[in-house]
Amino acid sequence: MQLSDFKAVAADYKVIFFDAFGVLKNYEGLLPGIENTFSWLQETGKEFYILTNDASRSPQELAESYYRAGSYAITPERIISSGMLAREYLDLKVNHGTVAYLGTPSSAHYLETPDLKTLPISEVDLSDVSDINALVLLDDEGFDWNTDLNKTVNLLRKRNIPVIVANTDETYPVSKTRIAIAIGAVAEMIETIVGKQFIRFGKPDAQLFMFAYERLEHADGPVSKRDILMVGDTLRTDILGGNKFGLDTVLALTGNTQPQDAEIQIRSTGIIPTYVCESVVISE
Amino acid sequence: MQLSDFKAVAADYKVIFFDAFGVLKNYEGLLPGIENTFSWLQETGKEFYILTNDASRSPQELAESYYRAGSYAITPERIISSGMLAREYLDLKVNHGTVAYLGTPSSAHYLETPDLKTLPISEVDLSDVSDINALVLLDDEGFDWNTDLNKTVNLLRKRNIPVIVANTDETYPVSKTRIAIAIGAVAEMIETIVGKQFIRFGKPDAQLFMFAYERLEHADGPVSKRDILMVGDTLRTDILGGNKFGLDTVLALTGNTQPQDAEIQIRSTGIIPTYVCESVVISE
Amino acid sequence: MQLSDFKAVAADYKVIFFDAFGVLKNYEGLLPGIENTFSWLQETGKEFYILTNDASRSPQELAESYYRAGSYAITPERIISSGMLAREYLDLKVNHGTVAYLGTPSSAHYLETPDLKTLPISEVDLSDVSDINALVLLDDEGFDWNTDLNKTVNLLRKRNIPVIVANTDETYPVSKTRIAIAIGAVAEMIETIVGKQFIRFGKPDAQLFMFAYERLEHADGPVSKRDILMVGDTLRTDILGGNKFGLDTVLALTGNTQPQDAEIQIRSTGIIPTYVCESVVISE
Amino acid sequence: MQLSDFKAVAADYKVIFFDAFGVLKNYEGLLPGIENTFSWLQETGKEFYILTNDASRSPQELAESYYRAGSYAITPERIISSGMLAREYLDLKVNHGTVAYLGTPSSAHYLETPDLKTLPISEVDLSDVSDINALVLLDDEGFDWNTDLNKTVNLLRKRNIPVIVANTDETYPVSKTRIAIAIGAVAEMIETIVGKQFIRFGKPDAQLFMFAYERLEHADGPVSKRDILMVGDTLRTDILGGNKFGLDTVLALTGNTQPQDAEIQIRSTGIIPTYVCESVVISE
């Protein structure tokens, strides 16, 4: 497996799509030196966007967290999150009544509209569910798994409503050696139990890429897919999704895919990045 | 779909295998009148066994719970539980060190031997797991899902050890209209996350039937499989397992399979019971 | 389940997306009277597009087949096929060398470019596969299953190349009572055997909808997703895909979903169309 | 990963269960020197049995093929095949009418009884299927995949009958570098399409082990599972099945599991053999 230099690769593209976790930051915060990369992107006039399977906060709040960490380049309009897709879905397809959710109150807040209120599963009264028109799985935090997952199953037996999974990740790293179960894995368990088909937003699905792509077009004329590079740390989300959307792809080895495992994983999954780079950090 | 009378059907067999939950008892306790059935079995000299996907207690404790509920016919040696298979596995294949578990302390107690101690996941120290030689998933109760499921995933990333699922059920009923998630569904989620192959005990797997069958043979000579009738309320465990083992089967409509759904479920799953009976309760 | 009149429903939308098979035509040809529907769409100034999981022919050839059947309304630019997505993928991501394929020569012809030639699996020489840069699964016809599926498996063991599935359907009807296995089901079998992740184009995936949606935008300004109605006969492709893309949806009962099964299928899958109509044929 | 010497390992057991393909023979015939192993087993008074996922021929015919290849130690009563389980199932559960099958005539011949006749799918008349009481998937050879698999799907849509899969293998090797699709993979495709639950016989399922174990008991008193060693070349069938049945297991590196892949496969699947041996051939 040949390693490429990120700067040399990216030089040939006009737009870069970045995954966030494992590429720009990890469990300890932003990668040291990542600001060099943003400076270089700005100097060279390259557009960039963050495509993230994150429905725990609004793009505004996500941008603020980068700001607080010392990264001023990542403004809200550069962030495309799976939470935005969930919000668009609810706006177009549900638009009134109550949306029950699993997640933190702040994750749900972003979904509220004047006509659509949100309710944590813990506050759902199973004997009166007629006003609940959708269920959204947002985050693995903010609820009691023992009681609220059982309540979720029973809600879905009483109401045939759309279920939206706003983060398809199965796990996420919490330290150098440990991971945590993400809401995507919980969603698969509930889906199997109730036997229904949930609606998933997030990479590798094309809709997140399309959302970013449309934002580009609204800037100054159409951009060819040939001019966009997708960078991620996970084969089955970032790279598979980028490839399928027609983009060239970079696998960065700073997150889910360990350097010693990259080659065997590429061979065994058949998900083939255009390039493999150690890191997107530009050392200078 | 033609309904048969249980007594008329059972009259032609020497041995009856019963599933417990949904056939002999439900969330409220023993089915009213079930004692008539046991009396009739004893009068007519029929052997019977309870085959249950239950690893929450020992056969002795399970029998005691029937006794306390007023059923004196169900003695410990008539009970064949998936917990017994887990215990045999550990005895043959692990036999020393520590077995970590998800479940209640009383479910784990049954697995202990002088050489094998058990430890709830909550007490596992992830920085020192070298003594843990197996993991057993016993029961959905007795642990905190938020913290202990994450700990379970991380244990399995550190130690390549056999994982035993001692109850393959996905859900169980807790009232007339509500169900709860059983440890079998949790096991599937963890298995998908860690990508490993767990060892499952319980119907429809042949091993539980074999355990009961061998007990018969040790009585008074070989019994033909043609003389055994399996009775259950669930197509994909009781009926599939009974059929595959070569037994005639009865679907009882007092549990998981509602009378109005039975025909369509039989047609859509292709799991075909020999007979369908409203209940095993003999009215007299 | 309440049935709606298609004309009354469609009157409220500016653009209609139709599935082809089971909605506009069936195994016997165009639905009798379907021309009334096209006439009404043209009189009322509604745009319409055909979204089809069909990679067996080019849009040009598909349009010709409608023309020969007597339907002059369906011009090539109104047809969005999964084959077009496969072609775009190859153009962007492969673009040189040889593409091996399962399907008829005419299905492959559409994928050829000056730099990219196609080769049926039957003509692949397994001892010299270095020039093969992708595999495309196009159609269930045009090859010998006994020999060519085995050859496909062995090709994928020798070359780690992208595999494109250009039709995700599992089956298609060939008469009132019989169905045939489609290439989508064959793709799943091969994928399981080789353990790799294939790239699928076709409903319910968002990319086919996006292709149609972009064509709209290039007409005369952006169209809101609220003004588009998706009509299909299959819950898990047409309706799930339409819903997820944010469109209102009509389930038509002239194809895969039988009138007597519609309600139970909607309840059991949790895939909920906005409307259910007996047929899109307007009787007049 | 530590390699053990097969003779040293086997010396501690009274009974050896061998998988056939990949352990005793390969695509070229019996492993050179395998007779030394059989001689040693006989000298040391060890019992041995062949447990094979093979339904293509009767045990008698399988034994004859060993005989012709020069191995006189493998008598019919030492062979336990998944075909025997299929035959027992039909005898107990179907026992009259017609069994349709996919496979060669010789594979079906073994299933016939005076009351049960067999019919290849190619000869089934789909307009008159009322006499067909079961379908058995025996072998990947002996039928035309293009036509007969479609016919199989349509038969299962007309008749709700048990479907028996008599060989669960997905593939088998046909030369040093090539494999072929086995009937087990075809069965999974058909099962997905028709949405029904098939009945599978063969490793890792316990029933094949039980069949062999019962034969032992009929010899001279009960044998402890501790005295039996299972040897196989495939983790997910031989080793998983042997472990689950409570036996010590040997992974032999002469078949499906390549020496360079063994360690990573054991770690990634979590299927852990008690020992790993290069070969069961005793060099002397």
Side-chain angles (χ1 to χ4, degrees):
Chain A
M1 190 184 60
Q2 199 194 324
L3 289 181
S4 304
D5 176 68
F6 175 69
K7 191 171 155 185
V9 166
D12 288 340
Y13 298 85
K14 293 184 187 159
V15 180
I16 320 286
F17 289 173
F18 289 105
D19 176 38
F21 215 98
V23 174
L24 306 178
K25 59 181 179 177
N26 64 19
Y27 49 89
E28 293 180 317
L30 289 172
L31 295 199
I34 194 70
E35 279 306 314
N36 293 338
T37 301
F38 293 128
S39 302
W40 177 78
L41 290 168
Q42 285 176 313
E43 284 160 23
T44 53
K46 298 192 189 301
E47 285 291 302
F48 69 93
Y49 292 87
I50 319 290
L51 277 67
T52 176
N53 283 359
D54 190 332
S56 70
R57 284 172 293 179
S58 68
Q60 185 69 40
E61 291 168 308
L62 286 167
E64 280 166 19
S65 76
Y66 283 103
Y67 193 92
R68 281 195 305 274
S71 175
Y72 312 122
I74 302 176
T75 49
E77 67 276 10
R78 292 198 187 281
I79 297 178
I80 316 289
S81 75
S82 53
M84 293 166 67
L85 297 177
R87 183 178 153 138
E88 188 206 34
Y89 176 90
L90 293 173
D91 183 44
L92 286 166
K93 295 282 296 180
V94 181
N95 67 52
H96 71 283
T98 299
V99 176
Y101 71 90
L102 287 174
T104 61
S106 77
S107 64
H109 181 70
Y110 174 58
L111 303 178
E112 294 206 328
T113 68
D115 297 325
L116 198 66
K117 74 186 185 94
T118 60
L119 190 70
I121 282 286
S122 60
E123 292 179 20
V124 167
D125 174 358
L126 280 176
S127 64
D128 177 17
V129 295
S130 59
D131 191 47
I132 299 180
N133 291 333
L135 170 70
V136 189
L137 278 57
L138 292 164
D139 199 359
D140 59 290
E141 297 188 335
F143 60 94
D144 180 80
W145 289 33
N146 293 57
T147 56
D148 289 353
L149 294 184
N150 280 320
K151 239 174 137 177
T152 301
V153 168
N154 284 298
L155 169 62
L156 294 179
R157 284 161 50 94
K158 296 192 82 166
R159 286 283 289 164
N160 191 24
I161 51 176
V163 180
I164 297 96
V165 184
N167 178 345
T168 52
D169 291 350
E170 289 195 337
T171 60
Y172 58 99
V174 291
S175 78
K176 196 173 176 62
T177 58
R178 303 212 181 143
I179 64 174
I181 301 172
I183 193 70
V186 174
E188 284 171 36
M189 179 177 72
I190 306 277
E191 196 177 27
T192 301
I193 288 172
V194 300
K196 300 195 174 181
Q197 182 88 42
F198 293 179
I199 293 171
R200 284 185 167 70
F201 292 115
K203 293 166 286 181
D205 189 73
Q207 239 158 317
L208 195 71
F209 291 90
M210 184 169 35
F211 228 86
Y213 188 65
E214 283 178 349
R215 189 159 294 183
L216 280 182
E217 292 188 294
H218 295 164
D220 47 6
V223 174
S224 165
K225 288 181 176 178
R226 292 183 200 281
D227 290 325
I228 307 173
L229 182 68
M230 170 71 204
V231 186
D233 70 321
T234 308
L235 288 171
R236 79 169 188 89
T237 55
D238 306 312
I239 306 305
L240 178 62
N243 282 346
K244 189 181 165 194
F245 196 69
L247 309 183
D248 283 353
T249 48
V250 167
L251 179 70
L253 302 177
T254 41
N256 275 328
T257 311
Q258 303 290 312
Q260 69 274 20
D261 299 333
E263 188 160 9
I264 200 169
Q265 283 191 24
I266 291 168
R267 205 174 59 221
S268 69
T269 62
I271 304 172
I272 310 160
T274 319
Y275 311 97
V276 181
C277 297
E278 244 177 286
S279 168
V280 302
V281 171
I282 292 175
S283 53
E284 136 199 31
Chain B
M1 191 185 61
Q2 200 195 323
L3 289 181
S4 304
D5 176 69
F6 174 70
K7 191 171 155 185
V9 166
D12 289 340
Y13 298 84
K14 292 185 188 158
V15 180
I16 320 287
F17 289 172
F18 290 104
D19 176 39
F21 215 96
V23 174
L24 305 178
K25 60 182 180 177
N26 64 20
Y27 48 88
E28 294 181 315
L30 289 172
L31 295 200
I34 194 71
E35 279 305 315
N36 293 339
T37 301
F38 293 128
S39 303
W40 177 77
L41 290 169
Q42 285 176 312
E43 284 162 24
T44 52
K46 296 190 190 302
E47 284 293 302
F48 69 93
Y49 291 87
I50 318 290
L51 277 67
T52 178
N53 283 0
D54 190 333
S56 69
R57 285 172 290 180
S58 69
Q60 183 71 39
E61 290 168 308
L62 286 167
E64 280 165 19
S65 77
Y66 283 104
Y67 193 92
R68 281 194 306 274
S71 175
Y72 312 122
I74 302 176
T75 49
E77 68 275 11
R78 292 199 186 281
I79 296 177
I80 315 290
S81 75
S82 53
M84 293 165 66
L85 296 177
R87 182 176 155 139
E88 188 204 35
Y89 176 89
L90 293 173
D91 183 43
L92 286 167
K93 295 283 296 179
V94 181
N95 69 50
H96 70 283
T98 298
V99 176
Y101 70 91
L102 287 174
T104 60
S106 77
S107 64
H109 181 68
Y110 173 58
L111 302 178
E112 294 205 328
T113 68
D115 296 325
L116 197 67
K117 75 186 185 94
T118 61
L119 190 70
I121 282 285
S122 59
E123 292 179 20
V124 167
D125 175 359
L126 280 176
S127 64
D128 177 17
V129 295
S130 58
D131 190 47
I132 299 181
N133 291 333
L135 170 70
V136 188
L137 279 57
L138 292 165
D139 200 359
D140 59 289
E141 298 188 335
F143 61 94
D144 180 79
W145 288 33
N146 293 57
T147 55
D148 289 352
L149 294 184
N150 281 319
K151 237 173 140 177
T152 301
V153 167
N154 285 298
L155 169 61
L156 295 179
R157 284 160 51 93
K158 296 192 82 167
R159 285 283 289 164
N160 192 24
I161 50 176
V163 181
I164 296 96
V165 184
N167 177 346
T168 53
D169 291 350
E170 289 196 335
T171 60
Y172 59 98
V174 291
S175 77
K176 195 172 177 62
T177 58
R178 303 212 182 143
I179 63 174
I181 300 172
I183 193 71
V186 174
E188 284 170 35
M189 178 176 72
I190 307 277
E191 195 178 26
T192 302
I193 289 172
V194 299
K196 300 195 174 182
Q197 181 89 43
F198 293 179
I199 293 172
R200 285 185 166 70
F201 292 115
K203 294 167 285 181
D205 189 74
Q207 237 158 319
L208 196 70
F209 291 90
M210 186 170 34
F211 229 86
Y213 188 65
E214 284 177 350
R215 189 159 294 183
L216 279 181
E217 293 187 293
H218 295 164
D220 47 6
V223 174
S224 164
K225 287 181 176 179
R226 291 183 200 283
D227 290 325
I228 306 173
L229 183 68
M230 170 70 203
V231 186
D233 71 321
T234 308
L235 287 171
R236 81 168 187 90
T237 53
D238 307 312
I239 306 304
L240 179 62
N243 282 345
K244 190 181 165 196
F245 196 69
L247 310 184
D248 283 352
T249 49
V250 168
L251 179 71
L253 302 177
T254 41
N256 274 329
T257 311
Q258 303 290 311
Q260 69 274 19
D261 299 334
E263 188 159 11
I264 201 170
Q265 283 192 25
I266 292 169
R267 206 175 57 221
S268 70
T269 60
I271 304 172
I272 309 161
T274 319
Y275 311 95
V276 181
C277 297
E278 245 177 284
S279 168
V280 302
V281 171
I282 292 175
S283 54
E284 135 197 31
Chain C
M1 190 184 60
Q2 200 194 322
L3 290 180
S4 304
D5 175 69
F6 175 70
K7 191 171 155 185
V9 166
D12 289 340
Y13 297 84
K14 292 184 188 159
V15 180
I16 320 287
F17 288 173
F18 289 104
D19 176 38
F21 216 97
V23 174
L24 305 178
K25 59 181 181 177
N26 64 20
Y27 48 90
E28 294 180 316
L30 289 173
L31 295 199
I34 194 71
E35 278 306 314
N36 294 338
T37 301
F38 293 128
S39 301
W40 177 78
L41 290 168
Q42 284 175 314
E43 284 161 23
T44 53
K46 296 190 190 303
E47 286 290 303
F48 69 93
Y49 291 87
I50 319 291
L51 277 68
T52 178
N53 283 359
D54 191 332
S56 69
R57 285 174 290 179
S58 69
Q60 184 71 41
E61 290 168 308
L62 286 168
E64 280 165 20
S65 75
Y66 283 104
Y67 192 92
R68 282 194 303 273
S71 176
Y72 313 122
I74 303 176
T75 49
E77 67 276 9
R78 292 199 187 281
I79 296 178
I80 316 289
S81 75
S82 53
M84 294 165 66
L85 297 176
R87 184 178 151 135
E88 189 205 34
Y89 176 89
L90 292 173
D91 183 45
L92 286 167
K93 295 284 296 179
V94 180
N95 68 51
H96 70 284
T98 298
V99 176
Y101 70 90
L102 287 174
T104 60
S106 77
S107 64
H109 180 69
Y110 175 58
L111 302 178
E112 294 205 329
T113 68
D115 297 325
L116 197 66
K117 73 185 186 96
T118 60
L119 190 70
I121 282 285
S122 60
E123 293 179 18
V124 167
D125 173 359
L126 280 176
S127 64
D128 176 16
V129 295
S130 59
D131 191 49
I132 299 180
N133 291 332
L135 170 70
V136 188
L137 279 57
L138 291 165
D139 200 358
D140 58 288
E141 298 188 335
F143 61 94
D144 180 80
W145 288 33
N146 293 57
T147 56
D148 289 353
L149 295 183
N150 281 319
K151 238 174 139 177
T152 301
V153 167
N154 285 299
L155 169 62
L156 295 179
R157 284 160 51 94
K158 295 193 85 167
R159 284 284 288 164
N160 192 24
I161 51 177
V163 181
I164 296 96
V165 184
N167 177 347
T168 52
D169 291 350
E170 290 195 335
T171 60
Y172 59 98
V174 290
S175 78
K176 197 173 177 61
T177 58
R178 303 212 181 142
I179 63 174
I181 301 172
I183 193 71
V186 174
E188 284 171 35
M189 179 178 71
I190 306 278
E191 196 177 26
T192 302
I193 288 171
V194 299
K196 300 197 173 181
Q197 181 88 43
F198 293 178
I199 292 173
R200 284 184 168 70
F201 291 116
K203 293 166 286 180
D205 189 73
Q207 238 158 318
L208 195 71
F209 292 90
M210 186 169 34
F211 229 86
Y213 188 65
E214 283 177 350
R215 189 159 294 185
L216 280 181
E217 293 187 294
H218 295 164
D220 47 6
V223 174
S224 165
K225 288 181 177 178
R226 291 184 201 283
D227 290 325
I228 306 173
L229 183 68
M230 170 72 203
V231 186
D233 70 320
T234 308
L235 288 170
R236 80 170 187 89
T237 54
D238 307 311
I239 306 305
L240 179 62
N243 282 345
K244 190 181 164 194
F245 196 69
L247 310 182
D248 283 352
T249 49
V250 168
L251 179 71
L253 302 178
T254 40
N256 275 329
T257 311
Q258 303 289 312
Q260 68 275 19
D261 298 335
E263 188 159 12
I264 201 169
Q265 283 191 24
I266 292 168
R267 205 174 60 221
S268 70
T269 61
I271 304 173
I272 309 160
T274 319
Y275 311 96
V276 181
C277 297
E278 245 176 284
S279 169
V280 301
V281 171
I282 292 176
S283 54
E284 130 199 36
Chain D
M1 190 184 62
Q2 200 195 323
L3 289 181
S4 304
D5 175 68
F6 175 69
K7 190 170 156 184
V9 166
D12 289 340
Y13 297 84
K14 292 185 189 161
V15 180
I16 319 288
F17 288 174
F18 289 104
D19 177 38
F21 215 95
V23 174
L24 305 179
K25 59 181 180 177
N26 64 19
Y27 48 89
E28 294 181 313
L30 289 173
L31 295 199
I34 194 70
E35 279 306 314
N36 293 340
T37 302
F38 293 128
S39 302
W40 178 77
L41 290 169
Q42 284 176 313
E43 284 161 24
T44 53
K46 297 191 189 300
E47 286 291 303
F48 69 93
Y49 291 87
I50 318 291
L51 277 68
T52 177
N53 282 359
D54 190 333
S56 70
R57 285 173 291 179
S58 68
Q60 183 71 39
E61 291 168 307
L62 287 168
E64 280 164 20
S65 76
Y66 283 104
Y67 193 91
R68 281 195 303 274
S71 175
Y72 313 122
I74 302 176
T75 49
E77 68 275 11
R78 291 199 187 280
I79 296 177
I80 316 289
S81 76
S82 52
M84 293 165 67
L85 297 176
R87 182 177 155 138
E88 188 205 35
Y89 176 89
L90 292 173
D91 183 44
L92 286 167
K93 295 283 296 180
V94 180
N95 68 52
H96 70 283
T98 298
V99 177
Y101 70 91
L102 288 174
T104 60
S106 77
S107 64
H109 181 68
Y110 174 59
L111 302 178
E112 293 206 328
T113 67
D115 297 324
L116 198 66
K117 73 186 186 94
T118 60
L119 190 70
I121 282 285
S122 60
E123 293 180 19
V124 167
D125 174 358
L126 279 177
S127 65
D128 177 17
V129 296
S130 59
D131 190 49
I132 299 180
N133 291 333
L135 170 70
V136 189
L137 280 57
L138 291 165
D139 199 359
D140 59 289
E141 299 188 334
F143 61 94
D144 180 80
W145 288 34
N146 293 56
T147 56
D148 289 352
L149 295 183
N150 281 319
K151 236 173 141 179
T152 301
V153 167
N154 284 299
L155 169 62
L156 295 179
R157 282 160 52 93
K158 295 192 84 166
R159 285 283 288 166
N160 192 24
I161 51 176
V163 181
I164 296 95
V165 184
N167 177 346
T168 52
D169 291 350
E170 290 195 334
T171 60
Y172 58 99
V174 290
S175 78
K176 196 173 177 63
T177 58
R178 304 214 180 141
I179 63 173
I181 301 173
I183 193 71
V186 174
E188 283 170 36
M189 178 177 71
I190 307 277
E191 194 177 27
T192 302
I193 288 172
V194 299
K196 301 196 173 182
Q197 181 89 44
F198 294 179
I199 293 172
R200 284 184 167 69
F201 291 115
K203 293 167 284 181
D205 189 74
Q207 237 157 318
L208 195 71
F209 291 90
M210 186 170 32
F211 229 86
Y213 187 65
E214 284 177 351
R215 189 158 293 184
L216 280 182
E217 292 187 295
H218 295 164
D220 48 5
V223 174
S224 165
K225 288 181 177 179
R226 291 184 201 281
D227 291 326
I228 307 173
L229 182 67
M230 170 72 204
V231 186
D233 70 322
T234 309
L235 288 171
R236 80 169 188 88
T237 54
D238 306 312
I239 306 305
L240 179 62
N243 282 346
K244 190 182 164 195
F245 196 68
L247 309 183
D248 282 353
T249 49
V250 168
L251 180 71
L253 301 178
T254 41
N256 274 328
T257 310
Q258 304 289 312
Q260 69 273 21
D261 299 334
E263 188 159 12
I264 201 170
Q265 283 192 25
I266 292 168
R267 206 174 59 222
S268 70
T269 61
I271 304 172
I272 310 159
T274 319
Y275 310 96
V276 181
C277 297
E278 246 176 282
S279 167
V280 301
V281 171
I282 292 175
S283 54
E284 138 199 29

